[in-house]
Amino acid sequence: TVLGFLIYKTRLPFRDFFKIALLIPLFISPYILAVAWKDLFFQLLGNPGFISSYTGLILVLTFVFTPLSMLIAGSAFANINAHLEEAGLVISGFRITVIKIVLPLIKPALITSFILVFIFSISEFSVPSIFGAKVFTTEIFTQFTAFYNHSLAILQSALLVLLCILLLLAERKSIANAPFLSIGEKGSNTKLYHLKNRGL
């Protein structure tokens, strides 16, 4: 959300470059990123023990899915009507405008971002397997391949699919009404903030 605000709502220097550069992790396999991070810490520290298991898993998945959240939040920021922000700035300051007007307007996009990242993360198998983290997907794989407990593996898989479907159904209204899906002259009336003027 912070990156989306900085890139889509401020006159950040080289913001077009950062907008493209921050999307790079989306085009690289999470498996490759996991191996690269593990090798990097091994080369730097000699013992990547502290980066193993859940620490490495969280680090890599955060690195992978941050661009997705940035895109959703940034698109929502870009679709906010500038007149609403200007009216808020006349009545109150910058912080109150962001907290009371901007953030509530992009709330559906924030919830959607959370749901999508949660679904992608809980369904990810390659990164947890690289770091040896015991999560839902690795447990399904273990039951299916190591213990040949196909019934339990299928049941766990069905629960995973059901959870994802329920989350998507619960977010149906929020997705339909989210600002980042609105149709109009996108960005034509977007208000951009100067970082120096706002003390950022």
Side-chain angles (χ1 to χ4, degrees), residues 13-63:
F14 309 108
R15 70 189 191 112
D16 291 331
F17 167 76
F18 288 119
K19 189 183 295 185
I20 300 299
L22 288 170
L23 295 180
I24 293 176
L26 288 178
F27 302 102
I28 303 175
S29 168
Y31 177 84
I32 295 175
L33 287 173
V35 173
W37 275 104
K38 202 164 187 179
D39 290 346
L40 175 65
F41 280 100
F42 182 79
Q43 293 294 330
L44 293 177
L45 305 174
N47 181 16
F50 82 97
I51 201 64
S52 297
S53 192
Y54 297 105
T55 305
L57 174 62
I58 293 171
L59 177 66
V60 172
L61 291 183
T62 300
F63 187 74

Side-chain angles (χ1 to χ4, degrees), residues 123-176:
S123 304
E124 178 62 38
F125 170 74
S126 60
V127 178
S129 64
I130 285 291
F131 289 102
K134 189 176 181 181
V135 296
F136 206 36
T137 51
T138 55
E139 180 65 21
I140 293 172
F141 180 79
T142 301
Q143 292 295 333
F144 193 84
T145 59
F147 299 110
Y148 298 102
N149 193 345
H150 298 162
S151 299
L152 181 58
I154 292 172
L155 178 61
Q156 290 175 332
S157 300
L159 288 175
L160 180 61
V161 172
L162 180 62
L163 174 63
C164 295
I165 292 174
L166 289 176
L167 287 171
L168 290 175
L169 289 176
E171 282 306 298
R172 184 177 179 182
K173 290 185 179 180
S174 296
I175 293 175

Side-chain angles (χ1 to χ4, degrees), residues 61-123:
L61 291 183
T62 300
F63 187 74
V64 170
F65 294 126
T66 292
L68 179 62
S69 299
M70 182 198 72
L71 276 177
I72 296 175
S75 298
F77 282 126
N79 277 294
I80 295 176
N81 194 318
H83 299 302
L84 298 175
E85 295 177 84
E86 290 169 356
L89 290 171
V90 170
I91 298 172
S92 59
F94 170 73
R95 288 187 180 180
I96 300 298
T97 300
V98 171
I99 294 173
K100 298 292 185 179
I101 296 177
V102 175
L103 291 180
L105 285 174
I106 68 164
K107 183 180 177 181
L110 296 179
I111 296 173
T112 299
S113 171
F114 172 79
I115 294 296
L116 289 177
V117 170
F118 179 82
I119 290 174
F120 289 145
S121 299
I122 200 173
S123 304

Side-chain angles (χ1 to χ4, degrees), residues 5 9-10 89 92-95 97-98 191-200:
F5 183 84
K9 292 295 290 180
T10 67
L89 290 171
S92 59
F94 170 73
R95 288 187 180 180
T97 300
V98 171
K191 181 173 182 60
L192 298 178
Y193 297 97
H194 293 278
L195 296 177
K196 292 181 180 179
N197 295 345
R198 302 298 168 185
L200 299 175

